Amino acid sequence: MKNPKSLILTLMNILIPFAAFMAAWRRHGTSALLWLDTLNDNKLIHRCLENNSCATHGAYVSFGNILQGATWHQMRSIIQFLGLGTDGAQWLAIFMDALALILVYKLIERLYGPWSALLSELV
């Protein structure tokens, strides 16, 4: 019979990725929210794909004279080019958020132990 402690640790390693995905899915929802910045992003993406004029910086944010970086728009352009659309970008964000939670869990588990890692996920 296995050690009960190792059984609990095995269960934690199975359940944490599932719980991280469910938490990210509940936080983000299944469809992207519509903001003024989202509309500006979509204009930039369509201009990049249709006119082949991709910007090296993002659009102005909805407050002040601050320019966004272009990395998000380049990633969205690739997603749009692949045919995934806005919903695909939403699911990719959910997946990446869950992956970040899993990586934080694994890092803290390695540095401080499994119970500290579990506590970090609950916070």
Side-chain angles (χ1 to χ4, degrees):
M1 183 169 180
K2 271 190 160 182
N3 183 0
K5 206 178 228 184
S6 68
L7 183 63
I8 291 173
L9 294 177
T10 304
L11 281 174
M12 282 173 45
N13 283 327
I14 292 170
L15 291 177
I16 288 296
F18 177 73
F21 180 78
M22 293 304 293
W25 180 56
R26 289 194 63 188
R27 182 173 35 248
H28 291 289
T30 55
S31 64
L33 296 174
L34 182 63
W35 301 91
L36 180 61
D37 290 340
T38 307
L39 295 174
N40 290 336
D41 292 349
N42 286 341
K43 285 181 193 174
L44 254 145
I45 292 164
H46 287 296
R47 191 177 321 135
C48 176
L49 292 175
E50 292 172 6
N51 301 336
N52 200 20
S53 62
C54 300
T56 57
H57 59 78
Y60 284 98
V61 296
S62 55
F63 57 92
N65 263 349
I66 302 171
L67 285 171
Q68 297 176 4
T71 307
W72 171 245
H73 300 106
Q74 291 168 353
M75 187 177 87
R76 283 281 316 272
S77 297
I78 291 170
I79 291 170
Q80 195 80 18
F81 177 75
L82 294 174
L84 297 176
T86 307
D87 289 337
Q90 181 71 10
W91 282 106
L92 183 64
I94 291 170
F95 175 75
M96 290 173 63
D97 192 18
L99 183 63
L101 288 172
I102 294 166
L103 291 176
V104 165
Y105 171 80
K106 286 297 186 184
L107 176 71
I108 293 175
E109 180 185 40
R110 185 168 285 209
L111 292 175
Y112 300 108
W115 300 111
S116 299
L118 181 62
L119 183 63
S120 74
E121 294 296 311
L122 296 175
V123 173

